[in-house]
Structures are given as structure tokens and as C-alpha cells.
Amino acid sequence: MRLLFIGNSITQHEISHSIGWHVRCGMAASCPENDYVHVLCHMVGDAEYMALNIASLEREPESADIDALLCDARRFDADTVIIRLSENVPDGKTSTFIAAYEKAAAYLDGFGKTICCVGSFWKNDTADALMRGVAEKNGYKFVSLANIQTDEYMAIGQYENKSVARHPSDKGMRAIAEHIFAAMQSEDESDGIEVFGGGKRCRVHRCRISAFPLNREYPGRQRDKGQSVISHFVNIPTGKITIDLGKSAADARILPSCRAPDVVCEGTRMTFTADDDYYVIENGKEHLHLFPVSDCEPDIAPTYAFTAGEYEIGKTELHPGDSVYIARGATVYGSFRACDADGIRIYGGGILDGSREERGADIGWTVDGLFNFLRCKNITIDGITLRDPCWWTLIMFNCTDAVLRNVKVIGNWRYNSDGFDFCNCDHIEVDKCFLRTFDDTLVYKGLRIDGLDERDVCYCTARNCTLMCDWDGAIELGAETIADEYHDLSFENIDIIRTSDGALRIHNGDRAVIHDISYKNIRIEYTPADTEQVYQHTDDTAYPNKPRRIFPPAVKGWTYCNRWSPDGIMGKIRDITYDGIHIFCRDDCIDELKNAVLIWMEGRDGDRNVPGITVRDFTLNGEPFMPRIHINSRVEMTVNGERIKP
């Protein structure tokens, strides 16, 4: 284990004979072995450690240069970070200190890490309350030292200098170490969840997800972490799986409900047999995402090979023929970009993580995102997990002949964090992927960007996928549709566990003629957790305490022109087939669902009709069903063989 200690003189103080301090360690331990850093390292098994004194952040928080103070500490890449500060904050600077403190913690944060915020050794209830607030807001551990803030734990009488003597004695140092150690042992990254499969314990990973559907219009900004919650995901083998949720499993269920395995629940445990597919365990508002194990052997000589461990790569440029192997157990912090490249392959079973990239006010369309490909062809992405992008996850502009298989997208909580965005692309195949996103999930756009063609969006397929959309549309054509045509797109055998404003959306906001689109065997789940989405037009816009429960349309389409429509030419929608739209919900939702508008479609302008819309085999919980429908006079539609009138 690697431990990082960030603190002041209690953590480490250089020799200073003028004050009677003659050893380099935490003041006022009798020797280095007895300060809390060394005691804690011994408790956890003689860990590798780094200790830094950054008391300047306490004394002058308004001018603290976080990067200069902590760049070496971040490169150390510790498993656990212990931040133990506050004793040197001048009166009147507590608020400024807390802001710098939170920024320092975020700078050192990363998934798979434990952050321990340790309270004051000298009594300071105000600072303790504020540091606890930082910890609770960001999912860190807070370690209170309130019960050892007495003379008994200080080195009074052991040193002539009174300031030195107010520091922890050996007894105080051991007490600090014991408090931190207890917090470290109280839970690991699984937060009490245990998963067993194939005779082994499976590693449970953390991620952030949105706490509620509150979003900003593009370009947005960095979202407050207080609008997110910690969630979890785990790779499981096929066969018998046992999961201990750490709390009652009586109300837990597996989604998608239409293909959930039989489950035995006993107390906090669930046991079932898994096949090679995606599942989500819903337990109240909490979710555990289950992904099938995926990995493969690396090529003989991949361009980049990341074995088990953690790596930081920044923004890495790929070139024609490059291959990237990210093994199971590897977490790579950074992103990849390529221009005019042929034959790129990214594969393995590990994680590509964007959590260390702060969201800026100005997003670069052609440089940001975990993957950003311009004018590339013959791309393969297979098996990896993509976590916490600063905005869109995977972006392709003017690309052709790409295959995305067994890719998982998780941890999208920031504003505008789409899943896959294919912009003016053709011949794109998405197969057996899982995407949980905050904002549109599987997206096909037409954009106007300097140096890129406004090509048709065509000959694309997506099948065998599982989608969770926490904001807007799960499968989205648009909203930007700057292309002459969208055609020959097909979506088949897809589970949509959640959608916020339409599962299957054709959002034609520009000149494109969208036609010959096929949706087949699409299963859509509705749960009581689906609540209204709200735009945050100002920073103080809050999500309602009692939001409305909603049942957004399964099918939604419309044409329009607004400020996102630079051409100002009304597009068209025609010849769209929905063959097998299967709705599922709990029994306590059925009456509300029957009264919800599940098909909503409108055309604009008298000569811009929306003809040839066909819906066949629309069912509710396995039974044939005629849903409530809203169309206007410009839409020609049949549902289950019946011609629909406006």
C-alpha cells in the first residue's frame, strides 16, 4: 500500500535547533518511529509512504499554488491520502483556507483512492465542521480527533519550547494513527459491498453518477460534486454470483426486469446465475452495475501496453496503426486523440478514466473527451471501461468503418456528459455495449466545424446494448442535424433501463432529411426513480425537493429551427419503422403509465410532412397495448396496424 500524508508540523518538521527541535519527523514525537506517520505505516504493514509539510497553505491560503505544492505528491499516486491540516490558519482566513483545502483534496483525488480528511488536533470546532462538510460533499472519510484534544495527548513538560510541547506526544501520535487506521479499516472502495463469482471475490469499483437530472446548456461548466453520488460497478464471470449489498436486499431487484435471472434474497445477500450480459441491481435509489468479464491477450507488440496498476498519460495522440492494450486491473488516467489515422485498435479489460481533467468553460470539440477521433477509419475499441469524462465520452468526426464492442461507459455525472457521439460519420457498428450517461447516450449528430465535412450520417448499426440515460434521450438522432441526409440506421435488441425525455428520439434541428431508420426489439424500462429533468439556468437553481415522477415517451420525434440551427432550413422525417417496442414497469406504475403519452411526434410547416411512421408490436409487460399518442396533422402514423389521427 502507498500512503500519502499531507500536513503541517504534526506530520513532519525539519530540524530547528533554535526551538529545541533536533530530529526530522512529526513534532513532538520522541523519534521518527513514534510519529503518527510511521506508526500508521507500521499498522498497515510497513507501507511505502510520502509525507509533506504544506503549512503555507494554512497560513496564506489565498496565494496557495496547489500545483506547485502538490505536483510531486500527485505523481506519487498513493492508494490512500491523509490530509491533516488546520492548526496554523490565522483568524479571519478560515473560509479561504477551506476553499484551498477542498481544491487540494480534489487535486489529489482519483478513483480507487481513499481520501481521509483528519480533524484538528488543537480544538477548532469551526474548522472541523467545515472540513467534515468537504468530506461529506465529496465522498471522503472524515476522521475526528475531538476526543484527544486535551493536554493528556500533548508533549507538555517534555520540551522547553511551549509551542513544540503543544504538539502530540508519543501517546498523542499513536492516538492519531489509531483514529486514521480505524477509519481506513471501516470500509474499502466497495463501501461494504461484496461480490463473489467463479470461486473468487470480485473487485468492486467506485464511480460517480448524477444524484438528480439537473443540467446546464452547453457549454455549461464544472458541475458541483454535491449534485452527484457514489455508485459502484463490478466485472462478474458467468455462473453463480453471490452479492452482499451490506444492507437489506428485500426490495432489491435486477434490471432489465424482462431478462432478470431468478434471484434468492436472504438478509443482505442476493444469489443468482448470470449469463454473459449486463445487469443493474436497483436497491431503492442505489445501483450496482454488473458487467461481464472481458479481456484478451495483448498483441505481440502493442504501441501502448498498460498492465495492472495506475498510469497518468494526459492527452495522448495516436497515429496510424497504433494499438493500445489496457489490461484488467489497469486504470489509465487521461485521454486519446487521433486525426487522419487508419487502423487504430484499443482493447483489453481495464479502465480509461477522465476524473482528473477539470471541466473548463471552453470545451474543445475536436480535442476533449476520453476518445476524440477526426477523419479516421478502421477503428476498433473492444472491452474497456470508460469512466468520468469531463463532457462527451467518445467523439468521432468524419469517421468511417469503426467497431465498438463490449465497451462500458460509467461514471458520467458532469454537465453535458454524453456517451458515444458520432458526428457526420458512416459505417459505425456498436455491439454489446453498456452506457450509463448524464445527457444523451447513443448520439448521431451533424455538426459544422472548420476543417470537417458535413457528410451524411448513414449505414450505422447498434445492437445488443444496454442503456441508462439520466438526462434527455437514450438513442438520439440530433439535435444538430447539419447534413443532407440521415439514412440506413438500424437499432436492434436494445434494453433502455432509464430515459429522461424520450427513449428513441429523432430530434431534427436542421436541414437533414432523416429517413429509412429501423428500430427493432427495443425494451424500455420505467421505474419510480424516473423524475422530471430541470435546466439550471443560473447557479442558484436547485433541484426540487419533491420532484414529479415522469414517464417520458418511448418514441419521440420532431422538426424545428432555433438558435442551434445555423442553416435555418426545416428538415424532414419519413419512413421510420419501430418493430417491437416493449414497455416494462412495476405493477404500481401501470395505471400512471397507461395515462402517459408514450408516442409523441410533430412536424412543422405545411409542406414538411412526417410520413411513413410505422409502429408494430407495441406491448406493455408482455401484453399487446395501444399507448396514448400525441401527433399533429403533419404526421402520418400507424400503430399496431391502426391509422392514427391527430
Side-chain angles (χ1 to χ4, degrees):
M1 176 179 283
R2 295 163 68 87
L3 302 180
L4 173 63
F5 297 86
I6 301 298
N8 49 34
S9 57
I10 295 175
T11 296
Q12 181 175 276
H13 197 289
E14 299 298 323
I15 294 171
S16 179
H17 298 300
S18 64
I19 61 172
W21 181 244
H22 307 298
V23 64
R24 183 180 184 270
C25 67
M27 189 180 281
S30 60
C31 63
E33 290 74 18
N34 290 337
D35 73 6
Y36 87 90
V37 170
H38 290 81
V39 173
L40 183 60
C41 288
H42 180 71
M43 286 178 173
V44 301
D46 293 322
E48 184 179 354
Y49 77 95
M50 173 185 282
L52 291 179
N53 182 328
I54 61 165
S56 61
L57 183 140
E58 299 172 306
R59 296 189 178 97
E60 299 175 342
E62 68 280 359
S63 59
D65 185 335
I66 300 299
D67 185 68
L69 287 171
L70 297 175
C71 60
D72 289 340
R74 187 158 80 171
R75 279 196 290 268
F76 181 68
D77 199 21
D79 303 297
T80 298
V81 179
I82 295 103
I83 305 175
R84 220 228 53 75
L85 292 164
S86 74
E87 285 79 10
N88 299 301
V89 179
D91 292 342
K93 291 190 176 183
T94 301
S95 296
T96 309
F97 161 70
I98 288 298
Y101 179 95
E102 183 169 16
K103 186 175 180 181
Y107 183 84
L108 296 170
D109 194 6
F111 286 103
K113 296 184 184 301
T114 298
I115 308 290
C116 293
C117 300
V118 184
S120 302
F121 179 70
W122 300 335
K123 184 175 175 60
N124 188 333
D125 293 342
T126 299
D128 276 2
L130 292 171
M131 289 188 291
R132 184 189 293 273
V134 169
E136 291 177 351
K137 172 184 174 183
N138 294 285
Y140 307 150
K141 300 174 188 290
F142 181 75
V143 183
S144 174
L145 302 181
N147 66 334
I148 62 171
Q149 293 170 338
T150 64
D151 293 356
E152 178 185 353
Y153 294 93
M154 297 181 190
I156 295 173
Q158 298 176 27
Y159 295 90
E160 183 176 347
N161 185 289
K162 292 182 180 180
S163 293
V164 175
R166 291 190 65 221
H167 285 68
S169 62
D170 288 355
K171 180 178 180 179
M173 289 292 188
R174 175 161 289 277
I176 293 172
E178 288 173 346
H179 280 62
I180 298 170
F181 184 71
M184 289 172 60
Q185 296 302 303
S186 65
E187 60 184 24
D188 57 17
E189 65 182 12
S190 68
D191 297 315
I193 300 169
E194 293 185 307
V195 180
F196 300 90
K200 297 180 180 179
R201 182 172 179 169
C202 304
R203 181 181 178 185
V204 178
H205 299 271
R206 275 182 155 204
C207 62
R208 286 191 180 276
I209 59 173
S210 174
F212 37 72
L214 180 68
N215 204 357
R216 290 285 278 256
E217 283 194 347
Y218 172 84
R221 57 174 174 77
Q222 179 70 17
R223 193 180 187 191
D224 190 324
K225 280 188 178 178
Q227 296 180 18
S228 69
V229 294
I230 296 294
S231 191
H232 302 87
F233 65 95
V234 58
N235 294 101
I236 60 171
T238 58
K240 183 180 178 181
I241 302 295
T242 299
I243 298 176
D244 192 327
L245 295 173
K247 59 185 66 177
S248 175
D251 296 324
R253 65 185 191 129
I254 296 182
L255 303 175
S257 60
C258 60
R259 56 174 177 80
D262 294 331
V263 180
V264 175
C265 292
E266 295 179 299
T268 61
R269 291 194 162 219
M270 304 176 68
T271 302
F272 59 94
T273 300
D275 58 18
D276 187 25
D277 217 329
Y278 300 107
Y279 304 101
V280 177
I281 294 179
E282 180 186 65
N283 194 20
K285 292 184 178 181
E286 298 181 2
H287 294 106
L288 174 62
H289 308 80
L290 309 179
F291 303 154
V293 171
S294 99
D295 201 0
C296 50
E297 293 299 318
D299 291 339
I300 295 175
T303 314
Y304 299 93
F306 301 99
T307 55
E310 294 191 349
Y311 308 84
E312 189 153 0
I313 63 169
K315 292 182 182 293
T316 297
E317 189 85 16
L318 297 178
H319 303 94
D322 278 355
S323 61
V324 179
Y325 174 65
I326 305 176
R328 282 183 64 198
T331 300
V332 178
Y333 294 95
S335 60
F336 291 99
R337 180 178 183 269
C339 298
D340 301 303
D342 188 351
I344 289 174
R345 184 184 180 211
I346 302 106
Y347 64 107
I351 298 170
L352 180 65
D353 185 291
S355 63
R356 294 180 179 174
E357 183 175 1
E358 191 79 1
R359 168 69 178 266
D362 297 321
I363 292 296
W365 291 84
T366 59
V367 294
D368 287 313
L370 287 177
F371 285 120
N372 198 304
F373 297 105
L374 281 66
R375 298 184 302 270
C376 294
K377 60 182 179 179
N378 298 320
I379 301 168
T380 301
I381 305 175
D382 191 349
I384 65 173
T385 298
L386 308 179
R387 181 172 60 188
D388 195 3
C390 70
W391 78 311
W392 295 359
T393 308
L394 178 144
I395 311 165
M396 292 186 178
F397 293 98
N398 286 179
C399 291
T400 188
D401 294 315
V403 176
L404 291 83
R405 185 180 296 113
N406 301 318
V407 178
K408 284 78 68 177
V409 174
I410 192 70
N412 292 41
W413 62 276
R414 301 194 239 191
Y415 295 130
N416 320 119
S417 54
D418 289 9
F420 298 160
D421 286 79
F422 305 112
C423 307
N424 304 97
C425 293
D426 61 85
H427 294 88
I428 307 294
E429 177 184 344
V430 179
D431 186 18
K432 201 177 180 183
C433 293
F434 177 97
L435 292 85
R436 179 171 191 170
T437 63
F438 185 69
D439 220 327
D440 304 320
T441 302
L442 193 57
V443 193
Y444 300 79
K445 290 185 179 292
L447 291 171
R448 175 166 295 145
I449 296 176
D450 290 344
L452 297 171
D453 295 332
E454 297 170 17
R455 291 163 38 182
D456 290 349
V457 179
C458 56
Y459 302 112
C460 298
T461 64
R463 58 180 177 268
N464 309 321
C465 295
T466 302
L467 310 178
M468 292 187 74
C469 180
D470 291 331
W471 174 276
D472 263 5
I475 299 177
E476 171 91 343
L477 309 189
E480 303 87 348
T481 54
I482 303 174
D484 291 334
E485 294 183 73
Y486 280 53
H487 65 89
D488 292 283
L489 308 182
S490 66
F491 307 93
E492 183 174 358
N493 192 34
I494 292 174
D495 288 288
I496 299 175
I497 297 175
R498 172 174 289 179
T499 183
S500 179
D501 189 53
L504 311 176
R505 298 207 317 178
I506 300 178
H507 192 176
N508 194 351
D510 212 278
R511 70 175 191 269
V513 178
I514 299 178
H515 65 95
D516 291 290
I517 313 296
S518 170
Y519 303 87
K520 186 173 183 179
N521 195 21
I522 309 295
R523 299 172 294 275
I524 303 168
E525 191 94 27
Y526 289 90
T527 79
D530 299 328
T531 57
E532 62 182 317
Q533 62 181 37
V534 175
Y535 261 119
Q536 188 182 47
H537 293 291
T538 62
D539 289 346
D540 58 358
T541 301
Y543 195 70
N545 289 326
K546 295 182 179 180
R548 292 184 304 114
R549 188 161 78 176
I550 59 167
F551 300 94
V555 173
K556 188 171 184 179
W558 69 111
T559 61
Y560 66 95
C561 286
N562 65 11
R563 66 192 180 96
W564 300 109
S565 310
D567 291 330
I569 301 172
M570 192 74 68
K572 298 181 181 180
I573 301 172
R574 63 174 175 82
D575 299 325
I576 315 295
T577 302
Y578 303 88
D579 191 356
I581 306 299
H582 307 297
I583 307 300
F584 296 90
C585 71
R586 295 184 347 185
D587 291 343
D588 58 354
C589 295
I590 286 180
D591 289 342
E592 289 178 272
L593 193 63
K594 287 181 177 179
N595 289 318
V597 175
L598 295 183
I599 298 177
W600 188 100
M601 192 165 286
E602 289 188 350
R604 293 285 187 274
D605 292 354
D607 61 344
R608 298 292 189 263
N609 290 342
V610 181
I613 310 301
T614 303
V615 182
R616 292 192 291 264
D617 190 21
F618 198 107
T619 68
L620 174 60
N621 287 352
E623 299 295 328
F625 177 61
M626 177 58 75
R628 285 193 64 192
I629 299 167
H630 167 85
I631 61 173
N632 65 8
S633 60
R634 298 170 181 87
V635 178
E636 297 175 3
M637 176 182 292
T638 60
V639 178
N640 290 342
E642 180 179 330
R643 180 69 180 266
I644 304 301
K645 296 181 180 179

